Amino acid sequence: MLNIAVFASGNGSNLEVLLNTPFKNGKIALVVSNNPKAYALERAKNHQIPSIAIPRCDYPSQQAFEECILKHLKEHHIDCIVLAGFMLILSPFFIQHFPNKIINVHPSLIPAFCGEGFYGIKVHEAVLQYGVKVSGASVHFVNEIVDGGQIIAQKAVSISKQETPQSLQKKISALEHKLLPKGVQILINQTIQAKRK
Ligand code: GRF
């Protein structure tokens, strides 16, 4: 059984879906947040899953912050990581500890409307501003390039004439809730395969 850590900074609706999904050969074993007020932490408690808040501002450097996270991951024997609304960018130092073992969900069709600065409602505002006719959700591996790792799964949604950033966000959030559990199962399967080699 692989142990999965979910990193979330806010509401945690994606986390909730994962906590309610039975995975083959894996389970959510830890929730990590940089935000002590994140509702995601409540969700973890409600499911009796260990959770920890590690604010970035408590550490003198990004590396010290990430070393603290790594220590907790080790204590909980974490095999792979899911970024589900985690609002901080992890450095190559951290990512190298989990090569091909971190995935992220992003609310656009990568490689469009992604990378640094494209987060939350800003993504959907940029999509509508540009005038594209479809957007969607992507699940991808995390590497040193922000939103640049290999794509695992994508789903598209069409944009209506009356679309607002908020209505688009809602539609895409529903897509993410279908897509992310599939991505997590793929992550588990690949991690097990890699262990066998
Ligand atoms: C999602 O839209 C995800 O794509 C993005 O952050 C949002 C998190 O939503 N990375 P929630 O906290 O899971 O409700």
Side-chain angles (χ1 to χ4, degrees):
M1 196 50 108
L2 294 189
N3 289 322
I4 300 157
V6 180
F7 288 21
S9 301
N11 176 27
S13 69
N14 281 288
L15 167 68
E16 185 72 41
V17 171
L18 298 182
L19 290 170
N20 287 316
T21 304
F23 293 105
K24 195 167 172 252
N25 300 323
K27 63 172 196 299
I28 310 300
L30 180 67
V31 173
V32 175
S33 186
N34 60 308
N35 171 15
K37 293 190 182 136
Y39 187 58
L41 294 168
E42 285 299 309
R43 297 185 192 268
K45 278 187 201 118
N46 294 340
H47 285 262
Q48 280 103 44
I49 300 295
S51 63
I52 174 120
I54 307 176
R56 167 68 181 86
C57 58
D58 286 358
Y59 296 86
S61 65
Q62 181 70 14
Q63 182 154 338
F65 167 67
E66 293 180 348
E67 274 168 356
C68 178
I69 301 179
L70 287 168
K71 183 178 74 112
H72 286 282
L73 298 180
K74 208 170 173 188
E75 274 168 22
H76 286 85
H77 308 287
I78 297 301
D79 299 290
C80 32
I81 299 170
V82 179
L83 306 181
F86 189 62
M87 292 306 180
L88 298 180
I89 294 171
L90 294 165
S91 78
F93 163 77
F94 183 93
I95 293 165
Q96 278 158 20
H97 283 81
F98 286 88
N100 297 317
K101 288 181 188 153
I102 311 176
I103 64 169
N104 179 46
V105 58
H106 182 77
S108 79
L109 292 174
I110 290 173
F113 306 103
C114 63
E116 254 176 89
F118 285 100
Y119 59 87
I121 201 77
K122 281 174 192 259
V123 176
H124 311 298
E125 284 167 354
V127 161
L128 295 184
Q129 172 93 39
Y130 200 97
V132 291
K133 301 299 173 212
V134 288
S135 189
S138 306
V139 177
H140 64 94
F141 280 104
V142 172
N143 64 9
E144 288 77 9
I145 302 156
V146 179
D147 294 329
Q150 191 201 338
I151 294 167
I152 300 170
Q154 284 186 313
K155 253 185 197 296
V157 71
S158 43
I159 294 171
S160 71
K161 287 212 174 79
Q162 312 82 332
E163 207 76 71
T164 63
Q166 289 73 19
S167 66
L168 186 57
Q169 188 175 43
K170 216 171 152 188
K171 274 188 194 172
I172 291 180
S173 176
L175 279 190
E176 289 181 336
H177 295 166
K178 291 201 184 118
L179 209 58
L180 188 57
K182 291 187 183 144
V184 172
Q185 190 59 62
I186 291 169
L187 172 68
I188 294 168
N189 298 349
Q190 275 202 207
T191 307
I192 290 173
Q193 258 179 13
K195 269 189 172 186
R196 286 199 187 121
K197 277 184 192 158

